[in-house]
Every structure is written in structure tokens, then in C-alpha cells.
Amino acid sequence: MNLARVIEALLFSSQKPLSAKEVSETLRSSGAEDDFSPNEFANVKPAEVAAAIEQLKVEYIQNEHGFQLVEKAEGWQLASDPKYAQWVRGLFSAPKPSRLSSPALETLAIIAYRQPITRADVEAVRGVTIDGVLQTLMERGLVKISGRAEIPGRPLLYETTEFFLDHFGLRNLDELPNVEELRTRHLPVSPRPSGPATEDQSAPAATPAPASE
């Protein structure tokens, strides 16, 4: 049995991306069909799985398959090649969700580069209130509450989600464009309250849903 072909079958069958560790754990826990067929991949290491995945990736490119291996934040996944999108799109007749507005994209960018960040600090950068925009980003599943800031009033902190990475094709936040420069650039912040405050004590309701670009 070929390890690469077994991994290919796992990736094809999975409904979500699989990491090398998840693949190796699946291989180790898979029982044989009978007592006379031992599990030959019971001791496969994640490094061996990663090497086999790279082999598959190269193979698909060289043979010009209609699908490819895509590395996402959660692991590897089989997906159709983007150059065939014109035809694949015909399988999905549902209307496209509306695009994010410019204010929503600007707010999302500030959160992505400066997370975790309070609503007030985002508003200090943008110069306008973001209640409606923040609600939209949370409903789209792109932003979530990550805790509370250790300042008076303990306002809520916001950060991007795993779905944000998946939607924009990023493995991690370090792949954001010009990430080092924009993380260190000086931006305005909101005045810090000197005593108890009520800002952000209640958060917008969040119902994750597929987002568009």
C-alpha cells in the first residue's frame, strides 16, 4: 500500500482540512479489516505524512489535474484548481452574498493588524462609530470577541477568526501584506477612562455565516 495514495483518500473523504498530525493519528488508529492484515502505517510520523503530502502536491501540478492541494490554517485540503472556476461555478446556482462595504473592509483591516483591539481604538483610527460595521463582521464570522482589556471599564477585545484566514487564503496572520510595517506603525488610540465605564459591556450578537470578498 502506498502512503501517498492512502493520504490522498483521506483528504478526498474529509469535509475539512487535515493537518499532518491529524492524518498520522488517523492512520495509527485505523484498524485492519481482519487480524491477518496488520496496519502497516501504525507508526507513521507527521514528518512522513508532510513529505507524502508534498509529493502529492508536486504530482498534481506536474500532471495538470483539475484539482490541487491547498494549505490552509487548519491543514491541507483538496480543492478545484482556480483556473477552472468558470465551469465549477456553474454547479452552485445560489446567489452570491453581498460584498463587504469599504467601511467594513477598513475596520476588518485595522482589527486584523492590531488585534486584539477594543472597539474604541478602532473608532479612534477610523474617526467614526463602527457599531453597525462590527455587527456585520461578526455576523459574517470574520471577527469575534477574544476577551476584555485590562484597563478601566474592561472593554471587550476583538480579533479575527479562523474563518477570516480561510476566506482570505492565509495560513496565519504573519502572511498579511506588509504585516511587520503595519503592526508597528503609530495609530491613534481612544482616551483611557480613569474609572469604571460601561463601553462595550454588551457585545453585538454574532451569528457566523459565509462571507464574500
Side-chain angles (χ1 to χ4, degrees):
M1 191 72 66
N2 183 284
L3 175 60
R5 297 278 79 85
V6 174
I7 294 173
E8 183 179 50
L10 292 178
L11 293 170
F12 178 82
S13 303
S14 177
Q15 299 298 309
K16 66 179 186 68
L18 296 176
S19 66
K21 180 180 179 182
E22 287 176 315
V23 172
S24 63
E25 289 175 349
T26 300
L27 292 174
R28 285 199 298 270
S29 63
S30 298
E33 293 183 1
D34 54 63
D35 294 336
F36 300 100
S37 301
N39 182 359
E40 59 187 288
F41 300 117
N43 298 315
V44 167
K45 305 291 191 299
E48 297 175 81
V49 171
I53 289 175
E54 284 297 326
Q55 175 187 332
L56 287 172
K57 183 178 179 181
V58 172
E59 176 186 321
Y60 296 158
I61 294 173
Q62 291 178 339
N63 294 335
E64 298 185 347
H65 286 293
F67 54 89
Q68 60 182 358
L69 263 174
V70 179
E71 186 176 9
K72 299 187 175 182
E74 307 95 327
W76 291 91
Q77 187 172 40
L78 285 172
S80 59
D81 191 312
K83 66 184 178 183
Y84 302 115
Q86 174 185 347
W87 297 277
V88 174
R89 198 177 296 121
L91 292 173
F92 307 95
S93 57
K96 294 181 180 179
S98 59
R99 292 176 179 271
L100 288 175
S101 65
S102 294
L105 288 172
E106 291 170 8
T107 300
L108 182 58
I110 295 168
I111 295 173
Y113 282 100
R114 293 306 178 95
Q115 61 186 303
I117 188 171
T118 66
R119 184 188 69 187
D121 282 345
V122 177
E123 291 175 344
V125 176
R126 295 206 58 231
V128 295
T129 59
I130 63 166
D131 287 348
V133 170
L134 189 57
Q135 174 77 27
T136 296
L137 293 176
M138 294 185 70
E139 288 176 350
R140 298 288 185 90
L142 295 167
V143 169
K144 66 179 180 180
I145 296 169
S146 62
R148 291 185 178 273
E150 296 297 329
I151 59 176
R154 301 203 64 205
L156 294 170
L157 291 167
Y158 297 90
E159 65 180 23
T160 54
T161 62
E162 288 290 333
F163 178 68
F164 165 83
L165 295 175
D166 189 33
H167 179 67
F168 288 99
L170 303 171
R171 289 176 295 178
N172 53 60
L173 293 171
D174 290 333
E175 292 190 346
L176 286 166
N178 304 318
V179 64
E180 291 303 325
E181 176 187 353
L182 293 177
R183 277 178 177 170
T184 57
R185 185 180 293 275
H186 173 73
L187 294 177
V189 296
S190 64
R192 298 308 189 214
S194 57
T198 58
E199 181 207 4
D200 271 348
Q201 294 304 307
S202 61
T207 305
S212 65
E213 56 188 281

